[in-house]
Amino acid sequence: MWLAEKFGVTVPVVGAPMANVSGGKLTAAISAAGGLGMLGAGSAVSAEWIRAEGAIAAAGGRPYGIGLMAWSVRERPEHLEAVLELRPALVSLSFGDYIPYVAPLQAEGITVATQAGTVADAREAIDAGVDVIVARGAEAGGHGRNAVGTLPLLQAILELTDLPVVAGGGISGARGLAAVLAAGAAGGWIGTAFLTCVEGMTSQKVAQRVIEADETDTVYGTVFDAASRAGWPDEFGGRALRNAYFDQWEGREQELKADNTGHADYVDGTKAADVTRASIYAGQGVGALTGRPTAAEVLDGFAGYRDYLKAALNGGAK
Ligand SMILES: Cc1cc2nc3c(=O)[nH]c(=O)nc-3n(C[C@H](O)[C@H](O)[C@H](O)COP(=O)(O)O)c2cc1C
């Protein structure tokens, strides 16, 4: 199994990079428990934050990864410099022109991944020489494309390449992990299932809202990017929990970009962890979250994928 050979994982799960959620502590906890944790470096963090959190992620002595946004690295090359110094085992570069950064990372012995939301994205990734492709379906939490669901995308990309392909989007437990492994994926690229972990950066108020949410409560769009002014290209929206702020501005994103009151309302809401105004990124698998587990407990749950694979071979589970 590629993930085991490359990174020594015992459960074929990559803890997807999640800005404002997966800091060094959650990253280290996922790696310590048998997966591969990834630090989520959002566009707003400093290079110092990456260095400090990377050191925490590395302290347990297990391999770990870092996720960067390509559009943001272009504006903040110091993010890439910090990552090259840390030399994590895996770096993902997604959303924007990541191609110039592939070779410098590989030259340091770093495995490079990108998240593809379409077959065209995957073709581009193959041409760019990445080491592993993440087939990231539309049901995934956080930013990406809203074009194709995880299963059709995964199947199409697996048909396209012999590179390892990891599946992301909507894998909320062992059943989903078994499904993508059976299809031929090298593992799961899993974000939302770790969203409420005690080792993560999610506040109690936000975690409570996430736990209450069900699978129909997410929306995809660019409202929160227009509000935050972080600089996200319009091409990539995000999947988050629907709230009053989203409803107020949906369809008026261009207006919001220039609306200082709307921006201030969002910033205040975020600071106060006001779930009616803040962006709470989450995928459709959010309905499966019921509490605040440790990362080890989440991985333990995923480790049950073997039972579903065995049952399927024996004529199907009940
Ligand atoms: C709260 C949150 C933050 C995210 N932040 C990032 C990020 O900083 N960089 C990135 O490449 N992907 C980010 N993602 C996307 C994940 O890498 C991944 O594609 C997604 O979580 C997989 O689908 P799932 O949430 O259904 O498991 C984020 C996702 C969530 C839920």
Side-chain angles (χ1 to χ4, degrees):
M1 189 219 290
W2 184 81
L3 277 177
E5 282 162 20
K6 200 84 191 166
F7 308 114
V9 303
T10 52
V11 187
V13 165
V14 178
M18 290 191 282
N20 305 314
V21 177
S22 59
K25 212 172 151 193
L26 178 58
T27 303
I30 293 172
S31 289
L36 184 76
M38 290 192 77
L39 197 64
S43 58
V45 303
S46 65
E48 263 327 297
W49 184 90
I50 296 176
R51 286 192 184 90
E53 296 295 319
I56 294 168
R62 302 290 308 156
Y64 74 99
I66 301 181
L68 296 173
M69 263 84 77
W71 65 266
S72 161
V73 171
R74 195 184 168 144
E75 290 162 25
R76 297 170 191 82
E78 67 273 18
H79 281 191
L80 186 70
E81 283 161 28
V83 168
L84 286 166
E85 279 169 36
L86 287 163
R87 295 179 63 195
L90 176 69
V91 168
S92 74
L93 283 158
S94 307
F95 320 135
D97 182 14
Y98 59 87
I99 295 170
Y101 316 123
V102 174
L105 286 160
Q106 288 173 333
E108 292 297 323
I110 297 167
T111 301
V112 178
T114 193
Q115 298 183 69
T118 60
V119 171
D121 284 350
R123 284 190 209 281
E124 186 179 78
I126 294 163
D127 291 344
V130 305
D131 302 294
V132 49
I133 298 176
V134 183
R136 181 199 178 282
E139 54 269 63
H143 285 85
R145 299 196 194 278
N146 198 32
V148 192
T150 301
L151 269 184
L153 182 66
L154 174 64
Q155 293 169 87
I157 296 178
L158 285 167
E159 289 294 331
L160 191 70
T161 181
D162 290 331
L163 284 175
V165 179
V166 177
I171 304 171
S172 57
R175 293 173 191 275
L177 183 59
V180 298
L181 291 170
W189 180 272
I190 292 164
T192 298
F194 291 104
L195 200 49
T196 58
C197 278
V198 289
E199 297 93 339
M201 293 154 70
T202 304
S203 70
Q204 181 54 31
K205 271 197 220 169
V206 169
Q208 194 50 43
R209 172 68 193 110
V210 168
I211 290 163
E212 285 163 7
D214 69 30
E215 81 287 0
T216 62
D217 284 344
T218 71
V219 279
Y220 178 90
T222 57
V223 166
F224 295 121
D225 301 320
S228 75
R229 301 184 178 171
W232 272 95
D234 284 340
E235 188 186 353
F236 303 104
R239 183 169 296 283
L241 297 186
R242 180 184 280 283
N243 61 10
Y245 189 92
F246 187 94
D247 287 342
Q248 184 189 346
W249 288 103
E250 190 180 18
R252 295 194 292 141
E253 293 81 357
Q254 292 308 322
E255 191 190 323
L256 175 56
K257 281 183 186 175
D259 190 302
N260 290 335
T261 311
H263 171 63
D265 193 23
Y266 172 78
V267 172
D268 291 348
T270 303
K271 277 191 197 137
D274 175 353
V275 299
T276 68
R277 289 183 287 167
S279 52
I280 303 177
Y281 288 104
Q284 291 176 352
V286 69
L289 289 167
T290 56
R292 303 212 66 178
T294 63
E297 285 165 347
V298 175
L299 278 161
D300 228 32
F302 279 113
Y305 74 92
R306 289 172 192 278
D307 296 336
Y308 294 105
L309 287 178
K310 273 187 220 149
L313 282 173
N314 291 332
K318 273 183 277 175

